[in-house]
Amino acid sequence: MSMDMTTVGDSGLLDTLQHEVALFARRAEQTRLGGVGQVRNSMDRAAYLLLNRLDKEGPMGVKALAASMGIDSSTVTRQVAPLVDTGLVKRTSHPEDGRAVVLQLSPRGQARLEEVRSSRRQLMAELTHDWEPDEREAFCDLLTRFNTALSSRMTAQGVPGPEAQSAS
């Protein structure tokens, strides 16, 4: 769906929005929003997103994990390999189909993920320390809405989701 930008609203506001999004993307990449303390910058986005998904959704096969993240199975296989090698993810046989692989967060992976989450929560608290709780909530709501719209647009265009792009 193509829109004439003159009908969307103030082009100055849209210019500011696109500029701020570009700055955010650069700063996020520079810092990886890694957190604070010793954990800072210690887990790449691809690993974080995969571990987080396994934590939230539980053990699953490669195809299911790929589908839930909007990336292809070969990308998941490539990104999971170092997580298996370092003991953060366990690869087991499917209980009903021994040929299929099931991925799950290991206890070490769970501990590491919580360590990174805690560090990132601390960073978010520091960055928004002078915000009111309703401002934090509004920001989360709007950022979620923005990411959902971006993801929907990419899906409609046949482009892999943000998890795939951020993992490159």
Side-chain angles (χ1 to χ4, degrees):
M1 166 170 92
S2 177
M3 287 189 203
D4 176 1
M5 292 312 290
T6 60
T7 63
V8 173
D10 178 23
S11 64
L13 181 60
L14 294 174
D15 286 345
T16 300
L17 178 60
Q18 69 80 22
H19 179 76
E20 291 300 323
V21 168
L23 283 175
F24 173 78
R26 180 193 302 154
R27 289 187 179 125
E29 181 57 33
Q30 287 171 338
T31 66
R32 293 187 182 263
L33 290 179
V36 295
Q38 290 183 313
V39 184
R40 187 171 181 275
N41 293 331
S42 61
M43 183 179 289
D44 69 41
R45 266 180 304 183
Y48 180 77
L49 292 169
L50 285 165
L51 294 177
N52 199 51
R53 187 66 56 126
L54 288 171
D55 183 47
K56 290 182 185 274
E57 296 184 20
M60 66 179 77
V62 171
K63 286 183 182 179
L65 182 57
S68 75
M69 295 185 69
I71 58 179
D72 62 60
S73 296
S74 64
T75 300
V76 167
T77 300
R78 187 180 74 250
Q79 292 174 353
V80 162
L83 301 175
V84 171
D85 292 344
T86 57
L88 300 177
V89 171
K90 292 192 301 187
R91 185 182 282 150
T92 60
S93 296
H94 191 282
E96 295 160 11
D97 179 0
R99 298 169 297 164
V101 172
V102 174
L103 302 170
Q104 71 181 72
L105 207 53
S106 70
R108 181 171 183 229
Q110 181 68 55
R112 184 76 178 99
L113 179 60
E114 187 48 45
E115 183 180 40
V116 171
R117 279 182 181 156
S118 177
S119 175
R120 290 180 178 195
R121 273 193 300 273
Q122 186 177 346
L123 176 62
M124 293 301 109
E126 287 178 14
L127 293 174
T128 63
H129 76 277
D130 59 346
W131 295 19
E132 295 296 325
D134 61 329
E135 290 175 314
R136 285 180 178 169
E137 191 171 328
F139 183 71
C140 286
D141 290 345
L142 290 170
L143 192 55
T144 298
R145 186 173 166 191
F146 183 84
N147 281 329
T148 299
L150 186 57
S151 183
S152 294
R153 178 179 171 82
M154 293 170 69
T155 299
Q157 294 176 344
V159 177
E163 288 90 349
Q165 298 224 332
S166 67
S168 302

